[in-house]
Amino acid sequence: MSASASTGTPSTRTTPPAPGFASGVGLVARREIVTRLRSKSFVVSAAVLVLLVLASVLLGGIFGGGDSSTKVAVVGSAEQVVGGADGLDAVQVESRAAGEELLRSGDVSAVVVPASGTPPVTVIGLDSAPQGVLSALSIQPEVELLDPSAQPAALVYIIALGFGIVFMMSAVTFGTMIAQSVVEEKQTRIVEILLSTVSARVLLAGKVVGNSVLALGQIAAIAIAAILGMMVTGQQVLLGTVGPAVAWFVVFFVIGFVLLAALYAAAASLVSRSEDIGSVTSPVMILIMVPYFLVIFFNDNPTVMAIMSYVPFAAPVGMPVRIFLGTAEWWEPILSLVLLVASTAVVIALGARVYSNSLLRTGARVKVSEALRG
């Protein structure tokens, strides 16, 4: 019989090793994702946002697909083709140049000129194919555009507004969730249990990763809904134009959200009561609201948009709009993305320090300077 058995001394228990950084981040991120998906309010709000985007695209295609005017400038024998089409009002002009002048001034929706081949006419549009005129004609003529690089002012405003709203609502929604989660864990002392298993940096990284995955999933669902809406309503031309801008928006949003998520978590760690969340996160809220208002009022100002595309918290909105407008050089999105990644790395480092030094401090609000000093 062993000594331990004879004396009745219990065998020594081994404590399970703490998870590594990657596995710890995965555990915290999975916990964040599962918690959010179990919330009915979160699922309903996300579904409503996706449905609103889909409805706006469908309604825009239904009510905006046709031309606002059915007047068509015709040259020479082209009048015979247009005259037999229902819903088109032929305006006879002496030359193609005269018709183009009416088209640029907005007096007509298109210009139809004779062609030597088959079909016998060519339809000229301003900046996009005049779908209403083409559908009214019984033939499929060749289409020419006077200014294919230009975008209608109303379309630019809608696209800019869409980027601004999606970025603002997603960042505010998920950022607020992160802040509430941090404060709730401090109030209930759950954070003390969590920190006995994982470090504060792992906890912060897991929260950022988990909510970033949810935010990216919502953005992907919105993008898919918008693409399906454009395809159903026959807006393939618009889809080809806005597609690259949407792709860049997703890339910029992912990096930009990580930056804002780190700020939300660090700010929330400074307080211990839910009532104080608004006061510490209001500066982050301002950073999110500024690009939203700028893109609404200055989407046609190239200087303001250029500055926005290089400011880290505004680049996710400013650069995609410039890409849609075609005013950004090929290297500008890359440079802007590099600056955004560098800024995000700095913010994460500072935010992690504030978060680690404030997480276990309860009671009065912790000053940022104290949190940075530790």
Side-chain angles (χ1 to χ4, degrees):
M1 184 178 294
S2 63
S4 60
S6 62
T7 58
T9 304
S11 58
T12 304
R13 284 188 173 182
T14 58
T15 304
F21 183 83
S23 59
V25 170
L27 289 173
V28 177
R30 187 158 50 248
R31 174 175 173 268
E32 291 287 321
I33 294 174
V34 171
T35 302
R36 301 296 173 237
L37 294 180
R38 287 178 178 174
S39 172
K40 292 183 179 180
S41 60
F42 167 74
V43 174
V44 171
S45 61
V48 168
L49 181 59
V50 173
L51 291 176
L52 286 175
V53 172
L54 179 60
S56 63
V57 174
L58 292 176
L59 292 176
I62 294 172
F63 296 106
D67 296 283
S68 59
S69 175
T70 55
K71 290 186 178 181
V72 178
V74 295
V75 180
S77 61
E79 184 176 7
Q80 299 176 1
V81 178
V82 177
D86 296 333
L88 296 182
D89 183 11
V91 179
Q92 185 71 41
V93 293
E94 297 180 355
S95 63
R96 172 171 173 161
E100 291 180 359
E101 184 177 351
L102 292 178
L103 179 60
R104 292 184 184 277
S105 64
D107 294 329
V108 296
S109 299
V111 181
V112 183
V113 298
S116 56
T118 302
V121 295
T122 297
V123 176
I124 303 172
L126 181 58
D127 48 40
S128 61
Q131 299 295 338
V133 176
L134 295 175
S135 61
L137 296 175
S138 58
I139 57 177
Q140 295 182 349
E142 181 182 354
V143 179
E144 297 181 9
L145 300 179
L146 296 182
D147 193 1
S149 61
Q151 298 290 354
L155 179 61
V156 173
Y157 180 80
I158 292 174
I159 295 298
L161 181 63
F163 284 145
I165 288 179
V166 171
F167 177 76
M168 179 190 68
M169 293 191 65
S170 299
V172 170
T173 299
F174 291 98
T176 302
M177 287 181 179
I178 293 175
Q180 291 175 344
S181 175
V182 171
V183 175
E184 287 174 1
E185 290 174 355
K186 289 187 66 174
Q187 279 185 318
T188 57
R189 303 279 184 165
I190 293 178
V191 67
E192 298 177 7
I193 301 175
L194 295 174
L195 291 179
S196 66
T197 306
V198 297
S199 66
R201 293 180 182 274
V202 170
L203 188 59
L204 173 61
K207 288 183 177 295
V208 172
V209 170
N211 285 274
S212 297
V213 170
L214 289 172
L216 180 59
Q218 186 179 65
I219 294 297
I222 291 173
I224 292 173
I227 292 173
L228 291 177
M230 292 180 187
M231 295 178 64
V232 169
T233 54
Q235 302 181 71
Q236 284 82 359
V237 175
L238 176 59
L239 178 59
T241 303
V242 76
V246 172
W248 276 106
F249 173 74
V250 173
V251 175
F252 273 89
F253 174 84
V254 171
I255 308 300
F257 179 78
V258 171
L259 182 150
L260 294 172
L263 288 177
Y264 264 107
S269 67
L270 299 174
V271 296
S272 304
R273 300 187 309 164
S274 300
E275 296 83 357
D276 298 328
I277 293 178
S279 62
V280 292
T281 59
S282 57
V284 187
M285 183 78 71
I286 294 174
L287 293 181
I288 298 173
M289 297 294 292
V290 166
Y292 170 71
F293 286 109
L294 287 178
V295 80
I296 289 179
F297 296 109
F298 299 100
N299 60 80
D300 57 347
N301 189 313
T303 302
V304 174
M305 297 306 299
I307 295 174
M308 282 182 60
S309 62
Y310 289 103
V311 177
F313 60 86
V317 177
M319 185 55 75
V321 172
R322 291 187 63 208
I323 293 173
F324 171 71
L325 294 174
T327 57
E329 299 292 338
W330 67 268
W331 51 267
E332 289 191 81
I334 300 175
L335 177 59
S336 177
L337 188 61
V338 170
L339 293 176
L340 179 58
V341 170
S343 302
T344 301
V346 173
V347 170
I348 289 177
L350 295 176
R353 183 172 180 83
V354 172
Y355 183 82
S356 301
N357 294 333
S358 306
L359 204 54
L360 293 177
R361 300 179 63 176
T362 58
R365 173 178 172 177
V366 182
K367 295 182 179 180
V368 176
S369 57
E370 295 178 1
L372 288 173
R373 290 196 306 265

